[in-house]
mmCIF file of all heavy atoms in Angstrom:
data_model
loop_
_atom_site.group_PDB
_atom_site.id
_atom_site.type_symbol
_atom_site.label_atom_id
_atom_site.label_comp_id
_atom_site.label_asym_id
_atom_site.label_seq_id
_atom_site.Cartn_x
_atom_site.Cartn_y
_atom_site.Cartn_z
ATOM 1 N N LYS D 179 25.419 48.363 0.556
ATOM 2 C CA LYS D 179 24.802 49.664 0.368
ATOM 3 C C LYS D 179 24.371 50.184 1.741
ATOM 4 O O LYS D 179 23.820 49.420 2.539
ATOM 5 C CB LYS D 179 23.554 49.549 -0.526
ATOM 6 C CG LYS D 179 23.852 49.023 -1.920
ATOM 7 C CD LYS D 179 22.682 49.246 -2.864
ATOM 8 C CE LYS D 179 21.464 48.447 -2.444
ATOM 9 N NZ LYS D 179 20.443 48.399 -3.546
ATOM 10 N N ILE D 180 24.646 51.448 1.991
ATOM 11 C CA ILE D 180 24.142 52.013 3.244
ATOM 12 C C ILE D 180 23.382 53.292 2.972
ATOM 13 O O ILE D 180 23.538 53.931 1.934
ATOM 14 C CB ILE D 180 25.272 52.299 4.279
ATOM 15 C CG1 ILE D 180 26.267 53.335 3.726
ATOM 16 C CG2 ILE D 180 26.003 51.029 4.656
ATOM 17 C CD1 ILE D 180 27.248 53.834 4.772
ATOM 18 N N ASN D 181 22.514 53.628 3.899
ATOM 19 C CA ASN D 181 21.769 54.889 3.825
ATOM 20 C C ASN D 181 21.374 55.242 5.248
ATOM 21 O O ASN D 181 21.629 54.487 6.186
ATOM 22 C CB ASN D 181 20.533 54.726 2.934
ATOM 23 C CG ASN D 181 19.912 56.072 2.546
ATOM 24 O OD1 ASN D 181 20.560 57.122 2.641
ATOM 25 N ND2 ASN D 181 18.656 56.045 2.123
ATOM 26 N N HIS D 182 20.784 56.384 5.417
ATOM 27 C CA HIS D 182 20.302 56.782 6.738
ATOM 28 C C HIS D 182 18.859 57.233 6.577
ATOM 29 O O HIS D 182 18.545 57.999 5.672
ATOM 30 C CB HIS D 182 21.186 57.922 7.291
ATOM 31 C CG HIS D 182 20.993 58.166 8.759
ATOM 32 N ND1 HIS D 182 19.838 58.688 9.272
ATOM 33 C CD2 HIS D 182 21.811 57.932 9.829
ATOM 34 C CE1 HIS D 182 19.937 58.783 10.592
ATOM 35 N NE2 HIS D 182 21.135 58.324 10.954
ATOM 36 N N ARG D 183 18.008 56.756 7.461
ATOM 37 C CA ARG D 183 16.596 57.138 7.384
ATOM 38 C C ARG D 183 16.414 58.662 7.418
ATOM 39 O O ARG D 183 15.462 59.193 6.869
ATOM 40 C CB ARG D 183 15.821 56.486 8.537
ATOM 41 C CG ARG D 183 15.412 55.042 8.252
ATOM 42 C CD ARG D 183 14.255 54.998 7.265
ATOM 43 N NE ARG D 183 14.008 53.660 6.763
ATOM 44 C CZ ARG D 183 13.053 52.856 7.214
ATOM 45 N NH1 ARG D 183 12.261 53.264 8.195
ATOM 46 N NH2 ARG D 183 12.880 51.673 6.698
ATOM 47 N N GLY D 184 17.369 59.345 8.064
ATOM 48 C CA GLY D 184 17.296 60.802 8.157
ATOM 49 C C GLY D 184 17.330 61.484 6.805
ATOM 50 O O GLY D 184 16.759 62.563 6.622
ATOM 51 N N ILE D 185 17.976 60.858 5.826
ATOM 52 C CA ILE D 185 18.026 61.438 4.489
ATOM 53 C C ILE D 185 16.647 61.357 3.834
ATOM 54 O O ILE D 185 16.132 62.335 3.290
ATOM 55 C CB ILE D 185 19.101 60.741 3.642
ATOM 56 C CG1 ILE D 185 20.482 61.167 4.164
ATOM 57 C CG2 ILE D 185 18.960 61.082 2.152
ATOM 58 C CD1 ILE D 185 21.649 60.515 3.474
ATOM 59 N N LEU D 186 16.033 60.194 3.923
ATOM 60 C CA LEU D 186 14.692 60.034 3.360
ATOM 61 C C LEU D 186 13.706 60.946 4.103
ATOM 62 O O LEU D 186 12.826 61.551 3.501
ATOM 63 C CB LEU D 186 14.252 58.569 3.463
ATOM 64 C CG LEU D 186 15.139 57.598 2.663
ATOM 65 C CD1 LEU D 186 14.845 56.157 3.036
ATOM 66 C CD2 LEU D 186 14.948 57.814 1.164
ATOM 67 N N SER D 187 13.910 61.018 5.404
ATOM 68 C CA SER D 187 13.057 61.859 6.234
ATOM 69 C C SER D 187 13.201 63.333 5.831
ATOM 70 O O SER D 187 12.200 64.057 5.719
ATOM 71 C CB SER D 187 13.489 61.646 7.688
ATOM 72 O OG SER D 187 12.686 62.354 8.557
ATOM 73 N N ALA D 188 14.429 63.762 5.584
ATOM 74 C CA ALA D 188 14.665 65.151 5.167
ATOM 75 C C ALA D 188 14.018 65.422 3.811
ATOM 76 O O ALA D 188 13.458 66.490 3.580
ATOM 77 C CB ALA D 188 16.166 65.416 5.124
ATOM 78 N N ILE D 189 14.069 64.421 2.923
ATOM 79 C CA ILE D 189 13.480 64.605 1.597
ATOM 80 C C ILE D 189 11.976 64.848 1.697
ATOM 81 O O ILE D 189 11.447 65.801 1.127
ATOM 82 C CB ILE D 189 13.785 63.391 0.691
ATOM 83 C CG1 ILE D 189 15.289 63.358 0.337
ATOM 84 C CG2 ILE D 189 12.944 63.439 -0.599
ATOM 85 C CD1 ILE D 189 15.736 62.120 -0.419
ATOM 86 N N VAL D 190 11.281 63.976 2.461
ATOM 87 C CA VAL D 190 9.822 64.198 2.559
ATOM 88 C C VAL D 190 9.491 65.486 3.293
ATOM 89 O O VAL D 190 8.475 66.130 3.000
ATOM 90 C CB VAL D 190 9.042 63.024 3.210
ATOM 91 C CG1 VAL D 190 8.883 61.873 2.242
ATOM 92 C CG2 VAL D 190 9.675 62.568 4.502
ATOM 93 N N SER D 191 10.345 65.863 4.241
ATOM 94 C CA SER D 191 10.030 67.087 4.996
ATOM 95 C C SER D 191 10.178 68.325 4.124
ATOM 96 O O SER D 191 9.642 69.377 4.440
ATOM 97 C CB SER D 191 10.940 67.192 6.225
ATOM 98 O OG SER D 191 12.229 67.636 5.858
ATOM 99 N N LYS D 192 10.895 68.188 3.015
ATOM 100 C CA LYS D 192 11.086 69.324 2.109
ATOM 101 C C LYS D 192 9.765 69.863 1.598
ATOM 102 O O LYS D 192 9.628 71.054 1.348
ATOM 103 C CB LYS D 192 11.939 68.882 0.915
ATOM 104 C CG LYS D 192 13.440 68.909 1.213
ATOM 105 C CD LYS D 192 14.203 69.415 0.010
ATOM 106 C CE LYS D 192 15.325 70.319 0.434
ATOM 107 N NZ LYS D 192 16.120 70.785 -0.695
#
Side-chain angles (χ1 to χ4, degrees):
Chain D
K179 299 194 295 194
I180 62 170
N181 194 18
H182 194 292
R183 278 285 169 100
I185 288 178
L186 297 168
S187 183
I189 291 173
V190 283
S191 77
K192 277 219 140 178

